[in-house]
Every structure is written in structure tokens, then in C-alpha cells.
Amino acid sequence: MTDDRDAAVRLRAFDFLREQRQRFGDASFPRQILERGFDFEGVRVPLIGPQGIFKPAILPEVPLTITTAPPVEHRERPYDDGFDDFGFLRYRYRGITAADRDHRDNVGLRLAMQRQTPLIYLHGIVPGLYEPAWPVFIVDDHPESFTFIVAIDDQVAATAAWQVHDAAALTARRQYVTAVVRRRVHQRGFRERVLRAYQQCCAICRLRHDELLEASHILPDGHPRGEPVVPNGLALCKLHHAAFDSYIIGVTPDLEVKVRLDVLEEIDGPMLLHGLQGFQGRRIHVPRAERLKPNRDFLAERYDIFRRAS
Ligand SMILES: [Zn+2]
């Protein structure tokens, strides 16, 4: 197979991901879509396999995708996400023994590095859901730690017309794009874990429409304890998330909803009556499992801010 054909398959793969991105909008991709893949000259080309480094049969040497498995449920690891402190992704070799350094999957990624072949990165958000990023490039190889260094690049800027010949500028751009993807992966992971814990329904009103649900932080992002973990989250619909964030609604450490006094006494239409005032004094719905329930101390600290705000 010529390099042209290899390139054609990769470009088709990028197009396929763009089409799916339009279809799923902001949501992450279901694994089945990636397993099914796309058709190229009558041949089905999947994008994901049982191993992290994946080369579909149609490609002769260089893999197409590298995947980070979703975190194992019950064991959250929000910061062990594979990204390093230099703004890139650390990707582990296939295998752990000295002989594995030359496993064909690792050899394939080394070729991708030498040729600067663009790859696709799939980050497992929760089991069954993946966040894709492309094009990505292998930029370094650390055989001593069995690790490749991966940079995520911009889809438009990486095309020929925008090529940067200044190595420092190229590195800076890739660090920036990689950081954007890292942030997105954190946000998606938090959202999906919280929504799953709350069985996809608003903790206040039990609305069940996925598109209208969000994961809110109890202690905000940026607070020293404002980690993106389920006990610091509440699944809320967009209305209740906004009301919670702007301190119109508070939740006591005993899980009781409190509506700000002036809003409680206001007279307006049915939305205010049923959407906000009606929940005064009601208990929120929380996950049954102890490890998933909202942290009491976090709620207390947050409720204190609410009280002072009202
Ligand atoms: Zn709601």
C-alpha cells in the first residue's frame, strides 16, 4: 500500500469523526460508533479494538488510534488522566517487559513518530463513552519508562497551508490544544460520572432529559477542595443548576432545599411557583451508595455562602 492510500484512510477517518461530532454535538461518542467505524473502498474500518494501540487491517504498519481506557467504576482518578506537567500526554507502551519494547504496536507508534503520521486519540470518559481528539502526533519516545509523548494538534492549523516551521511555535500551539482537550476530558468525565450516579435525573425536580442536565460543583472549580468527584457534585437540570450557582436555591447539609427569601415571597407566573418556590423545604434525591452521596462538609460550606448571600 502506498503512503497516499494510508493518508487517504486517515483523512477519511478524520471526516468520519467530524460527521459524528456534528451528530452528537457536545456529547462524547458511544463505543459502538467507534467499533463500527466507517467504510473505505468497500472495507469496514473500525476505530477501536481490544487493545489501546489500534491498527485496522487496512493499514499496513502505522496504527490509526490510541485509546486511554475509561476509569474503573468505583475508583475515581480525576487527576491521573495521562497528561503530564509539560502540556502533553504520556502514553504507555503495550506491555511491560523489556522484550515488549519491540512489540509491533510499539514499533508502529515509533514509525508514526519518525514519519510524523497523524493519529487519533480516544480518551475513555466512563465505560462506553469516549472523547476523541485528532490529529495527534507522537513527539517523543522514552523507552526507559515505556512511554510515548503525544501532542494533540489543531485540526485546521495542522493542515499544510498553516504549517508552522518554527519548532517553538509548533510546540506552543500543540501544548495549548492539548490543554484544551485535557480540560474538556475533565469536564466530560465529571459530568458523566455525576449524571450516572444520579441515574440521569435532576436532584431537585427529577427531570430526566439528558440534554437538559448538568453536573454542578458543590464547592466550585478553583476552590482547594473543589475537585471534580461525585461527592462534590449534584446532577441538576439547567434551571436548578443556574439557580444553585446564583444562590437563588441552597441545599442544607441535611439535603433540604431552601429558596432565597425574596424569591420565595415574589409573585410571578407558574414557572416561579412550580419551578422554584414549590421545592422549598423538600429533600433532594441523592444516590443510594454512601461513596456517591454529596459530602456533608462541602454542602455545609456551600450553604453558608448561600445564607450569607440571602
Ligand atoms: Zn431540576
Side-chain angles (χ1 to χ4, degrees):
M1 182 160 112
T2 64
D3 283 353
D4 284 356
R5 195 142 174 274
D6 181 282
V9 172
R10 285 173 206 281
L11 290 176
R12 177 70 194 98
F14 297 161
D15 283 345
F16 170 77
L17 290 175
R18 254 189 298 274
E19 288 157 23
Q20 302 306 314
R21 174 55 83 209
Q22 284 185 342
R23 181 175 155 203
F24 291 107
D26 197 38
S28 301
F29 292 16
R31 186 179 171 101
Q32 304 90 279
I33 297 292
L34 300 166
E35 279 173 348
R36 171 68 186 76
F38 57 93
D39 293 302
F40 185 85
E41 295 175 355
V43 180
R44 191 168 70 79
V45 184
L47 289 160
I48 198 167
Q51 300 295 335
I53 302 170
F54 178 67
K55 184 190 76 60
I58 196 170
L59 295 176
E61 293 174 303
V62 180
L64 180 62
T65 63
I66 53 175
T67 299
T68 295
V72 177
E73 249 166 325
H74 311 333
R75 264 197 287 153
E76 289 200 51
R77 48 159 178 107
Y79 292 124
D80 178 18
D81 56 7
F83 290 86
D84 67 17
D85 296 335
F86 307 101
F88 291 127
L89 186 68
R90 297 176 62 81
Y91 197 80
R92 295 282 297 176
Y93 280 10
R94 168 118 186 235
I96 49 165
T97 67
D100 293 326
R101 290 196 174 106
D102 291 321
H103 185 285
R104 63 183 154 75
D105 286 355
N106 302 325
V107 170
L109 288 190
R110 228 162 271 137
L111 275 175
M113 179 175 77
Q114 284 151 13
R115 298 177 189 170
Q116 283 302 289
T117 308
L119 309 173
I120 294 162
Y121 174 58
L122 302 169
H123 188 106
I125 298 291
V126 289
L129 276 186
Y130 293 81
E131 193 56 41
W134 74 92
V136 306
F137 296 90
I138 308 291
V139 293
D140 210 350
D141 180 10
H142 293 299
E144 72 294 347
S145 57
F146 293 80
T147 313
F148 290 107
I149 304 299
V150 182
I152 306 174
D153 208 340
D154 181 78
Q155 290 168 31
V156 177
T159 59
W162 286 50
Q163 282 297 351
V164 174
H165 296 289
D166 173 355
L170 179 65
T171 298
R173 184 180 80 204
R174 288 175 169 179
Q175 282 170 325
Y176 173 77
V177 177
T178 305
V180 170
V181 171
R182 181 186 199 173
R183 183 161 176 79
R184 181 172 168 80
V185 156
H186 279 176
Q187 287 169 341
R188 300 298 320 177
F190 179 59
R191 177 182 192 277
E192 295 303 329
R193 290 193 305 270
V194 170
L195 261 53
R196 281 190 184 194
Y198 284 76
Q199 296 179 308
Q200 328 288 128
C201 78
C202 174
I204 293 178
C205 69
R206 305 204 100 162
L207 186 76
R208 279 187 174 281
H209 269 277
D210 203 72
E211 304 88 327
L212 298 177
L213 294 177
E214 296 172 340
S216 65
H217 284 78
I218 297 172
L219 295 177
D221 206 6
H223 184 288
R225 285 181 299 160
E227 289 190 15
V229 294
V230 175
N232 188 39
L234 289 175
L236 295 175
C237 68
K238 285 177 189 271
L239 172 67
H240 292 131
H241 188 185
F244 185 69
D245 274 358
S246 53
Y247 302 103
I248 287 176
I249 272 182
V251 176
T252 72
D254 297 317
L255 308 179
E256 200 181 307
V257 177
K258 295 284 183 190
V259 180
R260 205 173 71 202
L261 202 60
D262 60 311
V263 178
L264 198 60
E265 288 169 348
E266 204 179 310
I267 294 169
D268 192 44
M271 191 64 188
L272 181 74
L273 185 64
H274 301 295
L276 295 173
Q277 294 165 338
F279 292 103
Q280 167 75 3
R282 296 242 223 129
R283 274 175 71 86
I284 62 166
H285 307 277
V286 297
R288 212 167 280 168
E290 214 50 53
R291 66 191 164 78
L292 298 175
K293 286 189 201 304
N295 181 301
R296 214 187 140 82
D297 295 339
F298 295 173
L299 281 175
E301 189 171 337
R302 173 81 188 215
Y303 186 63
D304 219 43
I305 306 173
F306 168 80
R307 266 205 323 222
R308 275 183 274 131
S310 21

